[in-house]
């Protein structure tokens, strides 16, 4: 097995946990207490974030997953989004929140928002753990943002570089 360099810490575990707790509280304040919230995690990157977010929520929460990929193997998104795995259940009439790991160019979230909105949810919101506003190619509104970061390629906490580092318990930056 080749050795991989250890990324330097950008956001440590405790800071991420505290922020996710705040995001869960902010989300729950915005919905009537008896409403049911349907979280849609975007695979693969959001799997750690959605697990933590959901465990801080006390409302009735259900979860489903969708998988997309952008063409190309570069560390940068290449502009086209493909649906790799659709949701298991319909979302018509439900309060849906798309849970994303990071919003970079904004293409993935724009695509997903359009696809899901066309299915007639009762409401549709978005939450992301990280956002890199300086990289946007399309303007996209994210309802709840964990951290805004500068233009670094980050890994850990679900985020990968060539499928490695998803299990890092912090958000790190790969050195050149
Ligand atoms: P967007 O469509 O450009 O907004 O990109 C969203 C997707 O690109 C994310 O869900 C990630 O899978 C991937 N991505 C963007 N920036 C990074 C990064 O810094 N590290 C790891 N993956 C990233």
């Amino acid at each position: 097995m080749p050795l991989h360099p250890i990324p330097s810490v950008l956001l440590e575990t405790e800071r991420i946990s505290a922020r996710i707790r705040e995001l869960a509280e902010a989300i729950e304040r915005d919905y009537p207490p008896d409403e049911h919230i349907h979280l849609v995690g975007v695979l693969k990157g959001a799997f750690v974030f959605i697990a933590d977010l959901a465990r801080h929520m006390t409302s009735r929460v259900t979860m489903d997953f969708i998988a997309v990929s952008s063409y190309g193997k570069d560390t940068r998104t290449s502009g086209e989004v493909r649906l790799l795995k659709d949701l298991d259940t319909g979302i018509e009439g439900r309060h849906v929140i798309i849970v994303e790991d990071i919003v970079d160019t904004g293409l993935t979230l724009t695509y997903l928002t359009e696809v899901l909105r066309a299915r007639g949810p009762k409401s549709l919101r978005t939450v992301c753990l990280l956002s890199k506003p300086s990289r946007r190619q399309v303007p996209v509104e994210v309802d709840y943002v964990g951290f805004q970061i500068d233009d670094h390629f980050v890994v850990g906490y679900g985020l990968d570089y060539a499928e490695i580092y998803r299990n890092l318990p912090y958000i790190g930056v790969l050195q050149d």
Side-chain angles (χ1 to χ4, degrees):
M1 279 286 281
L3 285 175
H4 298 287
I6 310 260
S8 58
V9 179
L10 181 69
L11 296 167
E12 60 210 9
T13 310
E14 294 69 24
R15 206 168 151 209
I16 300 169
S17 301
R19 184 67 187 130
I20 293 177
R21 182 185 290 274
E22 287 175 359
L23 288 174
E25 287 167 1
I27 289 170
E28 292 202 306
R29 272 198 299 273
D30 289 348
Y31 292 84
D34 52 342
E35 292 282 356
H36 182 144
I37 299 175
H38 193 57
L39 299 177
V40 169
V42 185
L43 295 173
K44 300 174 192 169
F47 81 101
V48 180
F49 177 39
I50 194 172
D52 283 356
L53 185 72
R55 281 179 294 174
H56 284 304
M57 293 174 67
T58 49
S59 345
R60 249 188 333 142
V61 166
T62 49
M63 265 171 270
D64 202 348
F65 294 90
I66 199 163
V68 289
S69 98
S70 35
Y71 286 108
K73 293 198 183 76
D74 205 280
T75 56
R76 300 294 185 184
T77 17
S78 56
E80 277 183 86
V81 183
R82 265 190 309 162
L83 191 60
L84 297 179
K85 180 219 169 288
D86 206 341
L87 298 174
D88 292 341
T89 54
I91 54 166
E92 193 177 345
R94 301 170 94 164
H95 287 299
V96 173
I97 304 182
I98 301 174
V99 182
E100 249 289 39
D101 52 358
I102 186 165
V103 181
D104 184 37
T105 61
L107 291 165
T108 305
L109 202 56
T110 301
Y111 169 81
L112 283 175
T113 306
E114 279 168 15
V115 167
L116 298 191
R117 186 165 288 130
R119 299 181 187 182
K122 189 168 182 184
S123 68
L124 182 63
R125 290 193 179 156
T126 49
V127 57
C128 68
L129 181 60
L130 305 169
S131 172
K132 288 193 264 190
S134 65
R135 292 258 311 149
R136 286 294 188 283
Q137 286 176 22
V138 283
V140 59
E141 277 216 19
V142 190
D143 297 291
Y144 309 94
V145 177
F147 300 94
Q148 290 206 347
I149 61 169
D150 293 335
D151 182 13
H152 304 293
F153 192 82
V154 288
V155 294
Y157 220 84
L159 289 148
D160 76 308
Y161 171 71
E163 294 300 324
I164 303 160
Y165 300 115
R166 292 195 196 276
N167 59 322
L168 268 192
Y170 61 91
I171 304 279
V173 181
L174 286 177
Q175 311 291 3
D176 297 323

